[in-house]
Amino acid sequence: MKALIIDNVSPMIPETLRSHGVEVRIEVMPGAEVIKEIIPDYDILIMRVVPPIDRAILERAKNLKVIAVCSVGTEHIDHACAAEKGILIMNAAMGSTNAVAELTMCKLLELNRHTMRAHREVVEDGIWEKNHFKGHELKGQTLGIIGIGRIGSRVAELATAFGMKIIACDPYLTKEEIAARGAEKKELNELLAEADCVTMHLPLSKDSENMISYEQIDRMKPGAILLNMSRGGHVDEDALAYGLKSGKLGGLGMDVIKDEVGDLTGGDKLYSPVFEAGGEFVVSPHIGAVTAEAQNKIGRIISSQLIEALHLE
Ligand code: NAD
């Protein structure tokens, strides 16, 4: 059996596969065209969320039995086509919960205290001026969580420790279930109107695509902070740029952008209208799960799922 690994994943995964006699090739970010070329040889594809695994790739994957996603979301895979071909898709749902929640707190703190901007002004401009960086404390603010599943619940727990009031919108959970996660249930529009900071932790689907656009930004409190920590497709980035430029958004934090799921290894330059909007904006290149602890946990989860699914001896 042969496995192709196309992202930086825990070394535990190739080690485990090799110890079970699987031949492993590691080719980090080879790009969709190369994957299309080499995929016919492989039984197992191990990846995170880039590039999209579409019908064009799956049609050529004549030996593929499993796609193991070392992450939570699997929307980048054509599920219908994979099902037609009997390809199992597995993920590591619990692996990155705490890591993403801590990064969320990091961005919340950053956008309230401006330490990156302060650092740049000190080091790059040689200015030592505390009055440029008056911030806000999290204590006493209201945090609106859109999607209070594993990650959202952990964010609620951490933010509660900071003294924030938590409200949450999650149509799939009852008022009581949301209360048990430390939050008060709200409809999306109510949450947007009441929260000082809003953070998104839900799967990407037809329902949640572009769920934050111009209308939703206009519903937010003036100067509110928005974080998208789940998938680029949840937000209309032109609307976010408008929010920043107009000052309607007091801050924007993102760990994901729409463009990241494109096949950038072809040389296209990464772009989002928010890059040029100015205002308080912090972005990271989808590093929510990138901690040693999360990668080890994901490595253990994926390795044991592969052994079980493929009956490896
Ligand atoms: P989860 O399934 O435990 O929780 C998702 C929650 O969203 C559920 O409670 C669900 O009911 C709710 N939901 C679904 N549709 C909704 C809607 N339209 N409006 C409001 N709530 C809705 O998933 P999780 O482990 O908490 O992960 C959440 C998302 O975070 C993933 O789908 C993934 O896209 C993203 N994620 C990002 C990173 C990263 O590195 N930044 C890492 C892991 C996961």
Side-chain angles (χ1 to χ4, degrees):
M1 210 171 278
K2 288 183 172 183
L4 175 65
I5 300 183
I6 60 165
D7 208 330
N8 280 314
V9 300
S10 162
M12 200 182 296
I13 298 174
E15 279 162 22
T16 305
L17 289 173
R18 285 181 179 128
S19 73
H20 285 81
V22 176
E23 199 181 304
V24 180
R25 173 170 171 185
I26 302 175
E27 196 78 54
V28 176
M29 293 289 160
E33 283 312 308
V34 174
I35 296 172
K36 216 184 289 174
E37 204 54 45
I38 62 181
I39 199 71
D41 283 347
Y42 293 95
D43 305 273
I44 307 165
L45 174 65
I46 296 163
M47 66 182 308
R48 291 185 67 214
V49 296
V50 175
I53 302 298
D54 57 12
R55 185 169 281 277
I57 292 177
L58 292 173
E59 289 290 0
R60 286 186 48 79
K62 60 181 172 44
N63 288 320
L64 200 61
K65 295 165 185 65
V66 178
I67 303 175
V69 178
C70 296
S71 186
V72 179
T74 58
E75 310 90 355
H76 56 289
I77 299 169
D78 183 335
H79 278 249
C81 183
E84 260 171 45
K85 302 195 168 302
I87 298 168
L88 175 70
I89 300 170
M90 59 174 65
N91 67 351
M94 301 289 287
S96 56
T97 302
N98 187 61
V100 180
E102 288 190 9
L103 188 71
T104 303
M105 295 312 295
C106 171
K107 290 206 190 301
L108 266 181
L109 287 164
E110 177 55 40
L111 288 165
N112 278 281
R113 297 305 297 271
H114 323 296
T115 71
M116 281 167 54
R117 204 154 51 75
H119 172 88
R120 280 196 301 270
E121 187 167 292
V122 171
V123 173
E124 293 170 16
D125 305 332
I127 297 171
W128 190 264
E129 179 48 77
K130 64 168 75 84
N131 293 319
H132 289 173
F133 304 105
K134 187 171 178 188
H136 290 285
E137 294 174 30
L138 296 185
K139 187 173 181 181
Q141 292 197 46
T142 298
L143 176 65
I145 302 180
I146 305 178
I148 188 159
R150 287 175 292 257
I151 297 171
S153 300
R154 181 65 180 143
V155 170
E157 203 171 41
L158 296 174
T160 300
F162 275 86
M164 299 186 90
K165 174 189 172 189
I166 317 295
I167 57 178
C169 150
D170 193 319
Y172 301 101
L173 295 174
T174 63
K175 188 175 158 193
E176 291 72 25
E177 285 167 325
I178 290 180
R181 295 165 193 217
E184 190 184 333
K185 185 172 167 95
K186 298 280 176 184
E187 295 305 317
L188 179 61
N189 288 344
E190 290 174 322
L191 178 144
L192 294 171
E194 290 177 30
D196 300 295
C197 305
V198 173
T199 184
M200 305 180 74
H201 303 284
L202 69 165
L204 187 60
S205 66
K206 283 209 164 52
D207 288 344
S208 63
E209 198 169 1
N210 278 336
M211 75 188 292
I212 301 294
S213 190
Y214 292 89
E215 186 193 326
Q216 290 70 31
I217 287 170
D218 282 337
R219 287 182 189 277
M220 292 175 75
K221 277 187 171 177
I225 285 171
L226 175 67
L227 304 184
N228 182 11
M229 305 299 289
S230 30
R231 285 292 178 268
H234 286 307
V235 292
D236 172 346
E237 290 175 11
D238 285 311
L240 298 185
Y242 146 79
L244 281 174
K245 272 186 202 153
S246 64
K248 179 76 195 180
L249 282 180
L252 173 66
M254 297 164 94
D255 189 43
V256 288
I257 64 166
K258 256 183 199 145
D259 226 14
E260 72 178 290
V261 293
D263 189 12
L264 298 171
T265 49
D268 294 338
K269 194 164 185 308
L270 188 73
Y271 175 75
S272 167
V274 292
F275 294 172
E276 298 162 351
E280 287 289 337
F281 170 55
V282 290
V283 63
S284 46
H286 208 143
I287 60 170
V290 187
T291 64
E293 294 77 9
Q295 293 305 306
N296 286 340
K297 204 166 170 192
I298 291 168
R300 278 196 299 277
I301 294 170
I302 293 291
S303 299
S304 67
Q305 288 180 172
L306 283 170
I307 292 171
E308 200 181 322
L310 294 162
H311 309 292
L312 298 176
E313 301 202 335

